[in-house]
Amino acid sequence: MASLSTFRRLNALALFQLFAEERIAAGDPPKGLESAWALKIEVSGATWSMAKSGARPIGDKLARQIERHCGKEAGWLDDEREPAGLTPGEQQFLSFALNTYRQTNSDGRKRLKQLLKSFG
């Protein structure tokens, strides 16, 4: 079962992803979006980086701050939500799994499927 810390991090990442997609659609270059996001939510780049990676949990104060700057009601970050899209890590994993699947024979594909089923 996921923790409050996990919900907050995943929801904050979803808000960042939405922010980044909107900025890129408006013509902004991808470089610098992390810093722009940190400015928007009024934290240092290092604080956002640690929160994003999970190295620093998003506490109550930071959670309410992010919600306020994103126009969300208090407690929004605390709720479990369905992912809006794939995270970069998920995209990387799927790409790796697909390449592995495509580069092996039928026996290898069977073993890969069995391994993934047994892991979960």
Side-chain angles (χ1 to χ4, degrees), residues 25-40:
D28 291 351
K31 187 173 181 169
L33 289 178
E34 298 273 345
S35 297
W37 172 253
L39 285 172
K40 175 184 171 96

Side-chain angles (χ1 to χ4, degrees), residues 99-112:
N99 285 337
T100 302
Y101 183 85
R102 287 178 175 167
Q103 292 175 7
T104 190
N105 60 23
S106 64
D107 288 336
R109 290 177 182 154
K110 280 182 186 177
R111 286 187 15 239
L112 181 61

Side-chain angles (χ1 to χ4, degrees), residues 5-21:
S5 179
T6 300
F7 295 153
R8 286 179 175 174
R9 187 173 72 78
L10 292 174
N11 288 331
L13 286 169
L15 290 173
F16 169 70
Q17 183 176 344
L18 180 62
F19 169 82
E21 288 171 358

